């Protein structure tokens, strides 16, 4: 039933797949040019920073929500080990650097990596389409908790953690195609790399 | 005239079979293992259509199937992805069929692999990323497997009906 030439087709496809595997290992990841007009906003839903206005600036979507915390800490003079606004990969004297970062790409725009310092939730809103994604993060994992999309594939893709991200088919990614949202769980080193690439591009 | 009537009836029948298979497939939870993966049972009907009704009619059936299943189950977004996969898959199947010495399994495997490739390609264009190449490679490999399965099914049906799917130039 199967013919010699059919095996040729299979062989050709295997070569294609092998080529794709090779290319997936390297090659520059084209960072989307951060367009300030992107109608995407992101808000942290943590109780201590819930009511702060969401920042639409694409470079640092979380600066607005972390600012109130830092304003409180000087008054009590307690050391704040988790400086959320610090540059990715920067050494902290307390050694409290987050091990994992969340990299969000929405509508072709890649945002600055977000350090995962505690369990919290982020909500990504696209004002023009009404699309909404809620991302649940812990210190070492990322999960799409809620999405307005029709197929819910992103929610079903489950948890990406530092432990399982090499074993997953989609590796460190969670993709929501209808809302054009891509989440990646990256390590501190990768976050530093992303920051370096951004500087090269900008 | 009578032949034309038969052809129309057969086409309608095939579209409905494809829609039912598409629905049955959505009940099989393969997506948890590899996101977005399907066996592509409906593709065995298209394969059958290529051999029995010819290339043009099979292409039309593919378009009708994509439109109808998009409207009933998937929505506009899913429709775009199945259209991208469907067109690429159909093109691949028709090309491979013209290669002398290939059989229905080669046609089926090429179609399934290209269907998956087309869908991920569209996803990469939509997301403007090249990070899905690894996923694309996996889906091409998966397509070889699922294409084999649907090819065996179409081959068996054609054989039972007296067609010769192993011939170089088989026709209705």
């Amino acid at each position: 039933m199967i013919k010699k030439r059919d095996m040729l087709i299979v062989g050709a496809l295997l070569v294609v797949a092998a080529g794709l595997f090779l290319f997936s290992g390297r090659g520059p990841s084209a960072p989307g040019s951060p367009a300030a007009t992107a109608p995407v906003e992101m808000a942290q839903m943590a109780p201590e920073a819930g009511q702060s206005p969401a920042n639409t600036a694409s470079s640092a979507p979380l600066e607005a929500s972390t600012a109130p915390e830092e304003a409180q800490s000087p008054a009590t003079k307690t050391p704040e080990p988790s400086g959320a606004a610090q540059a990715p990969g920067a050494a902290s004297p307390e050694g409290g650097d987050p091990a994992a970062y969340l990299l969000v790409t929405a509508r072709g725009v890649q945002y600055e990596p977000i350090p995962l310092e505690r369990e919290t939730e982020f909500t990504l809103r696209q004002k023009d389409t009404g699309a909404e994604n809620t991302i649940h993060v812990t210190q070492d994992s990322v999960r799409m908790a809620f999405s307005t999309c029709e197929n819910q594939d992103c929610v079903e893709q489950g948890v990406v953690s530092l432990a399982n991200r090499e074993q997953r088919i989609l590796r460190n990614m969670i993709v929501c195609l209808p809302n054009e949202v891509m989440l990646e769980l990256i390590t501190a080193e990768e976050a530093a790399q992303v920051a370096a690439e951004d500087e090269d591009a900008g | 005239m009578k032949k034309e009537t038969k052809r129309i009836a057969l086409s309608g029948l095939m579209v409905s079979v494809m829609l039912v298979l598409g629905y049955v497939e959505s009940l099989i939870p393969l997506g948890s293992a590899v996101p977005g993966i399907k066996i592509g049972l409906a593709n065995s009907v298209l394969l059958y259509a290529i051999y029995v009704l010819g290339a043009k009619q099979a292409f039309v059936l593919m378009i009708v199937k994509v439109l109808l299943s998009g409207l009933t189950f998937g929505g506009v977004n899913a429709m775009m992805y199945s259209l991208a996969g469907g067109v690429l898959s159909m093109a691949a199947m028709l090309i491979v069929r013209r290669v002398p010495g290939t059989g229905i399994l080669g046609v089926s495997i090429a179609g399934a692999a290209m269907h998956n490739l087309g869908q991920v390609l569209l996803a990469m264009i939509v997301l403007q990323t090249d990070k899905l190449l690894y996923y694309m490679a996996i889906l091409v490999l998966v397509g070889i497997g699922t294409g084999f399965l649907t090819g065996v099914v179409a081959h068996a049906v054609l054989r039972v009906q007296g067609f010769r799917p192993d011939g170089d130039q088989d026709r209705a």
Side-chain angles (χ1 to χ4, degrees):
Chain A
M1 182 159 81
I2 190 149
K3 300 181 158 199
K4 267 187 201 162
R5 291 283 174 90
D6 290 345
M7 294 315 291
L8 215 70
I9 302 290
V10 173
L13 289 170
L14 287 175
V15 170
V16 168
L20 290 172
F21 272 124
L22 279 179
F23 270 110
S24 68
R26 48 193 141 102
S29 59
S33 52
T37 52
V40 179
E41 64 173 27
M42 193 145 173
Q44 187 170 10
M45 300 313 277
E48 66 266 49
Q51 66 278 68
S52 58
N55 191 352
T56 41
S58 58
S59 55
L62 282 177
E63 260 173 10
S65 50
T66 51
E69 270 175 57
E70 288 186 64
Q72 286 161 11
S73 51
T76 52
K77 292 285 178 197
T78 48
E80 182 69 29
S82 57
Q86 78 185 24
S92 155
E94 286 86 7
D97 268 354
Y101 285 73
L102 167 64
L103 187 63
V104 177
T105 309
R107 308 269 283 266
V109 179
Q110 184 177 299
Y111 293 83
E112 203 170 275
I114 301 161
L116 304 184
E117 290 163 320
R118 60 181 174 278
E119 187 165 352
T120 182
E121 280 187 354
F122 300 108
T123 298
L124 193 67
R125 258 182 225 99
Q126 301 176 29
K127 287 180 215 154
D128 52 346
T129 59
E132 219 176 285
N133 289 75
T134 302
I135 308 151
H136 183 99
V137 305
T138 68
Q139 282 183 327
D140 67 343
S141 76
V142 170
R143 161 172 77 83
M144 192 74 85
F146 169 79
S147 171
T148 53
C149 67
E150 62 227 15
N151 60 24
Q152 298 291 306
D153 279 354
C154 50
V155 176
E156 281 163 25
Q157 280 164 28
V159 182
V160 188
S161 67
L162 287 177
N164 77 0
R165 62 176 218 146
E166 301 300 328
Q167 281 90 50
R168 290 174 81 251
I169 296 284
L170 274 168
R171 283 180 170 174
N172 64 335
M173 283 183 275
I174 293 175
V175 179
C176 182
L177 283 177
N179 292 356
E180 296 177 36
V181 172
M182 192 165 76
L183 311 178
E184 288 168 86
L185 180 74
I186 58 177
T187 61
E189 295 90 72
E190 286 164 347
Q193 210 177 326
V194 169
E197 278 169 20
D198 278 355
E199 266 170 44
D200 287 348
Chain B
M1 190 63 193
K2 205 183 154 197
K3 209 175 163 189
E4 181 71 7
T5 314
K6 191 182 168 187
R7 201 174 63 93
I8 292 170
L10 200 54
S11 299
L13 203 63
M14 284 185 187
V15 169
S16 44
V17 170
M18 279 195 282
L19 287 175
V20 169
L21 286 179
Y23 176 70
V24 167
E25 214 169 47
S26 71
L27 300 177
I28 305 172
L30 275 178
S32 52
V34 184
I37 184 197
K38 277 194 252 169
I39 308 174
L41 289 173
N43 203 44
S44 57
V45 179
L46 279 183
L47 209 55
Y48 177 87
I50 288 177
Y51 281 78
V52 174
L53 297 174
K56 255 189 224 162
Q57 189 71 11
F59 194 86
V60 171
L61 288 189
M62 184 273 292
I63 299 286
V64 171
K65 191 259 170 181
V66 166
L67 290 178
L68 285 182
S69 70
L71 289 174
T72 27
F73 314 120
V76 178
N77 202 282
M79 202 193 286
M80 292 313 295
Y81 286 94
S82 39
L83 191 65
V87 170
L88 212 61
S89 155
M90 193 50 90
M93 289 199 285
L94 296 180
I95 289 169
V96 171
R97 190 166 177 229
R98 288 188 159 241
V99 176
T102 55
I104 192 167
L105 285 181
V107 173
S108 176
I109 288 169
M114 293 314 277
H115 186 274
N116 293 352
L117 193 141
Q119 292 200 315
V120 183
L121 195 65
L122 182 61
M124 287 173 68
I125 293 169
V126 167
L127 293 171
Q128 301 174 39
T129 182
D130 60 358
K131 287 170 183 162
L132 291 174
L133 279 175
Y134 174 85
Y135 181 53
M136 191 190 255
I138 289 184
L139 280 192
V140 167
L141 293 181
V142 166
I144 294 176
T146 58
F148 180 81
L149 286 178
T150 53
V152 168
V153 171
H155 182 270
V157 174
L158 285 167
R159 278 286 295 277
V160 165
Q161 297 204 333
F163 296 100
R164 293 173 46 251
D166 288 324
D168 274 343
Q169 274 307 317
D170 34 275
R171 67 216 167 266

